[in-house]
Amino acid sequence: MKRVYIYHAVQIEVSVEIDTSGERSVTPGYGSGYVAVERITRAGLPASPAAPLRLGAADRRPFLNEVDALMGGYSAGRRMNEDLEGSG
């Protein structure tokens, strides 16, 4: 699953992958869980050479489902962009 969001002047691309780290989900029955893979670029510019970020839930475990992973990746991208705008 993959989504592209535009937030202010950046493009936040979030894709979801099954977690392969071996870390078990906190909730039985959910399998190994999901991670968000995020790439942030400035709209209209070539892709950044920086490696994509792999994000899990706040408790260092994978997200329980794909929707949580998408929204977690998007929220993290927005916060990073706001932090960068505030520091410039």
Side-chain angles (χ1 to χ4, degrees), residues 33-82:
Y34 300 88
V35 293
V37 179
E38 174 181 287
R39 182 178 294 269
I40 300 173
T41 58
R42 291 271 174 210
L45 296 178
S48 168
L53 301 172
R54 291 178 55 85
L55 307 168
D59 60 0
R60 300 178 120 185
R61 295 188 181 262
F63 291 100
L64 296 178
N65 58 56
E66 292 175 296
V67 173
D68 287 347
L70 277 175
M71 293 313 300
Y74 174 57
S75 295
R78 286 180 24 195
R79 284 191 305 272
M80 283 189 279
N81 183 57
E82 290 169 358

Side-chain angles (χ1 to χ4, degrees), residues 13-57:
E13 179 183 307
V14 182
S15 58
V16 176
E17 296 179 358
I18 294 174
D19 179 49
T20 57
S21 70
E23 186 73 38
R24 294 221 175 255
S25 173
V26 292
T27 305
Y30 276 92
S32 58
Y34 300 88
V35 293
V37 179
E38 174 181 287
R39 182 178 294 269
I40 300 173
T41 58
R42 291 271 174 210
L45 296 178
S48 168
L53 301 172
R54 291 178 55 85
L55 307 168

